[in-house]
Amino acid sequence: MSDLIRNIKGTKDILPLDSKLWLETESIIHNFMSLHGYHLIKTPVFEKTELFNRSIGENTDIVNKEMYTWEDRDGTSLTLRPELTASVVRSFIQNQLGNLSPIQRFYYIDSSFRRERPQKGRQRQFTQYGVESIGSHNPEQDVEVILIAFRIYQMLGVNDLAVNINSIGSKESRLNYVVDLKKFLTPFKNKLSDISQSRLESNPLRILDSKSKKDLEIIKDAPLISDYLNEKDQANFEVIQNLLIDLNIPFKINENLVRGLDYYNGMIFEIISDNIGAQSALCGGGRYDRLVEQLGGKSTPAVGFAAGLERLMLILKEQSENLDYSTDIYIISSNEEAISQSIVIADILRNKLGIKVITETLRRSVRSQMREANKINAQFVIIIGQEDTSNNEVIIKNMKDGSQINASIDKIESYFGVDYEYK
Ligand code: HAM
């Protein structure tokens, strides 16, 4: 036997046992987005590396360590997208979608790639669903985005969520803040964790969301970004909070929330769940008013979020142990001729009545087929070609109550057409 070729570390197969839940969840997300007037956008899985360097930022973990980047044969540097915001904004600019209407609402469900250390809820290929709303600088747009992110979880029955929000203000406010933060942290440099020591120069804001106990002890007395916000940012943040209260969306202001991507300004948020282990962020997002311009478009405000579908699945799988995987009808065939008949009957039942039907293709004994029908939780079996039935007669058995009738083969359709409600 040849060596087995295994999947790549940090990637996962979605097997049939999980794919039903996966499809159902995706379908709920599609419907939910449509309800809110968001339109699906699909962008290529790889882009020029420069797109991510310029948007996510050269000093971020994603760009520094986590991107799958390679040189194409013509020397262009290409990268598998580590997230979708940059690609959506590129597409928005390139296709001049801003000319179509002053506000564009996009959503996506697609794969992203980051070379992180795999663990529960953290993969190297993962799926993000999210929205990007491009055009409004007003706080009600921020709230719409948080609302969508939050209500999807609620609708799916995911409870115990914490919505953390913060405002990191304008670029100017943040620059002033970072100067003071650095001043505050520098005397403690040697007491900080290794990673925070290196971030003190490259990206001091990220020290704020460190999980290290040593760092937390120091950070708790650090200056607060809220003291650096200008009047407009403060006013917007207040409107956001008031609207969230009106909508009954519980939230907490977390002054240490900074997010790991450079393009944000103003409101940022994350939704956290305690039920998925260390990788507790179910989703994250915020406002990014400068990105469109930064990537070569007309200055246009924007806000969005993205959520990890696998992290959501971890929770949903635990909640839905009793998913209904049943089959409507299993057709048991006693001989080869019956198998041919079963294929025609199944075709009619599926196409005319939309009934889920499985036929036998392994030519097993009637007993094994009956066992199989039980295993896949068939609601009915139709047995064709039994010796004690006359030509053109089948047995229809209700697997729930054990009752059965003999029916003419050309009456099957009307039996299920009329009586199907009976299930
Ligand atoms: P992010 O926080 O980097 O933001 O990712 C959003 C979500 O993607 C995370 O909360 C998490 O659920 C999921 N995620 C991230 N990395 C992994 C991974 N390695 N394995 C599994 N799930 C993961 C963004 O990507 C921004 N583009 C969000 C955004 C949209 N901001 C504005 N618009």
Side-chain angles (χ1 to χ4, degrees):
M1 271 219 298
S2 315
D3 283 347
L4 174 68
I5 301 172
R6 305 192 73 91
N7 67 322
I8 292 165
K9 199 171 156 195
T11 67
K12 273 206 176 128
D13 302 317
I14 299 162
L15 302 176
L17 211 57
D18 291 332
S19 60
K20 185 178 163 77
L21 180 62
W22 186 276
L23 278 176
E24 275 175 6
T25 310
E26 272 193 346
S27 143
I28 287 171
I29 294 170
H30 283 294
N31 287 335
F32 197 78
M33 296 299 186
S34 168
L35 265 183
H36 290 79
Y38 281 69
H39 298 285
L40 183 68
I41 184 164
K42 303 244 348 137
T43 59
V45 96
F46 59 101
E47 301 267 3
K48 286 189 182 150
T49 305
E50 195 192 346
L51 175 67
F52 304 115
N53 291 353
R54 264 166 60 185
S55 52
I56 298 169
E58 307 267 2
N59 284 325
T60 58
D61 285 350
I62 297 178
V63 168
N64 268 332
K65 321 191 271 220
E66 295 170 2
M67 295 203 306
Y68 284 97
T69 297
W70 71 99
E71 199 172 280
D72 203 8
R73 290 185 184 198
D74 65 1
T76 318
S77 179
L78 302 178
T79 293
L80 286 181
R81 62 177 173 222
E83 55 111 53
L84 283 105
T85 310
S87 304
V88 171
V89 170
R90 186 222 16 92
S91 177
F92 170 85
I93 300 168
Q94 187 181 335
N95 295 296
Q96 301 178 352
L97 299 178
N99 294 343
L100 300 178
S101 95
I103 180 149
Q104 289 284 326
R105 293 178 164 98
F106 306 105
Y107 82 92
Y108 45 79
I109 308 184
D110 260 319
S111 303
S112 301
F113 305 83
R114 296 183 193 175
R115 201 179 189 292
E116 294 189 79
R117 203 162 37 79
Q119 63 180 82
K120 186 178 173 195
R122 190 162 72 192
Q123 295 174 201
R124 291 182 172 176
Q125 176 177 348
F126 57 100
T127 311
Q128 283 192 332
Y129 67 88
V131 306
E132 311 296 347
S133 172
I134 307 183
S136 169
H137 60 256
N138 293 320
E140 45 274 23
Q141 187 57 58
D142 301 48
V143 173
E144 180 179 283
V145 166
I146 301 174
L147 172 91
I148 293 175
F150 183 75
R151 292 277 189 247
I152 287 181
Y153 295 123
Q154 246 189 352
M155 201 173 53
L156 290 165
V158 180
N159 299 313
D160 299 329
L161 297 174
V163 181
N164 286 336
I165 61 171
N166 194 13
S167 176
I168 52 170
S170 64
K171 192 173 171 190
E172 297 69 43
S173 319
R174 211 157 51 255
L175 284 175
N176 291 335
Y177 174 66
V178 167
V179 169
D180 285 359
L181 182 66
K182 255 169 106 172
K183 247 190 239 162
F184 169 83
L185 289 172
T186 304
F188 301 103
K189 183 170 179 190
N190 295 332
K191 291 192 179 147
L192 287 169
S193 64
D194 291 348
I195 174 113
S196 290
Q197 287 192 24
S198 70
R199 280 178 172 157
L200 194 55
E201 282 315 312
S202 63
N203 200 349
L205 267 185
R206 285 302 306 280
I207 298 178
L208 291 178
D209 71 357
S210 162
K211 300 213 164 62
S212 137
K213 271 204 178 126
K214 285 202 291 194
D215 293 350
L216 288 173
E217 197 46 41
I218 297 166
I219 296 162
K220 73 178 190 341
D221 300 319
L224 296 176
I225 195 148
S226 52
D227 294 331
Y228 293 73
L229 300 183
N230 63 33
E231 260 176 40
K232 187 160 167 279
D233 283 328
Q234 271 177 18
N236 280 352
F237 199 39
E238 242 163 62
V239 174
I240 291 170
Q241 292 172 51
N242 289 333
L243 251 174
L244 289 175
I245 292 169
D246 290 348
L247 286 161
N248 255 329
I249 297 180
F251 65 91
K252 206 175 78 196
I253 297 172
N254 176 356
E255 293 246 17
N256 290 338
L257 180 66
V258 286
R259 311 264 307 123
L261 305 96
D262 276 358
Y263 46 64
Y264 293 113
N265 65 279
M267 185 285 297
I268 53 172
F269 77 104
E270 276 184 3
I271 300 182
I272 313 282
S273 162
D274 287 338
N275 297 329
I276 48 171
Q279 298 307 308
S280 56
L282 280 177
C283 78
R287 185 159 273 291
Y288 53 94
D289 292 334
R290 296 184 323 274
L291 187 57
V292 177
E293 194 175 8
Q294 222 170 292
L295 292 177
K298 258 197 336 233
S299 168
T300 315
V303 54
F305 84 88
L309 194 51
E310 288 79 3
R311 292 188 188 177
L312 171 59
M313 286 297 164
L314 282 175
I315 297 177
L316 292 182
K317 253 180 92 171
E318 276 180 19
Q319 287 181 0
S320 61
E321 271 164 15
N322 300 321
L323 256 197
D324 178 17
Y325 287 105
S326 65
T327 302
D328 294 334
I329 301 174
Y330 192 93
I331 307 186
I332 293 178
S333 303
S334 320
N335 52 53
E336 282 175 34
E337 192 195 336
I339 291 186
S340 304
Q341 283 177 307
S342 78
I343 287 171
V344 175
I345 294 168
D347 188 46
I348 293 170
L349 289 173
R350 290 183 195 121
N351 290 314
K352 280 206 178 158
L353 302 178
I355 297 176
K356 180 169 154 191
V357 188
I358 294 182
T359 56
E360 173 68 9
T361 56
L362 290 174
R363 301 186 177 186
R364 286 173 291 188
S365 70
V366 169
R367 257 182 78 178
S368 326
Q369 292 179 58
M370 190 56 101
R371 226 178 286 135
E372 175 79 17
N374 269 316
K375 199 161 125 194
I376 61 173
N377 200 8
Q379 309 290 301
F380 289 88
V381 294
I382 298 174
I383 308 169
I384 308 181
Q386 277 294 68
E387 271 168 13
D388 53 356
T389 54
S390 61
N391 249 358
N392 284 334
E393 218 181 34
V394 299
I395 299 171
I396 300 175
K397 179 168 181 175
N398 182 328
M399 299 291 275
K400 254 193 193 156
D401 61 16
S403 65
Q404 64 179 58
I405 57 155
N406 286 22
S408 157
I409 206 158
D410 33 62
K411 287 280 170 351
I412 298 176
E413 195 189 319
S414 64
Y415 179 85
F416 285 103
V418 176
D419 289 344
Y420 203 63
E421 288 296 318
Y422 167 62
K423 186 180 118 178

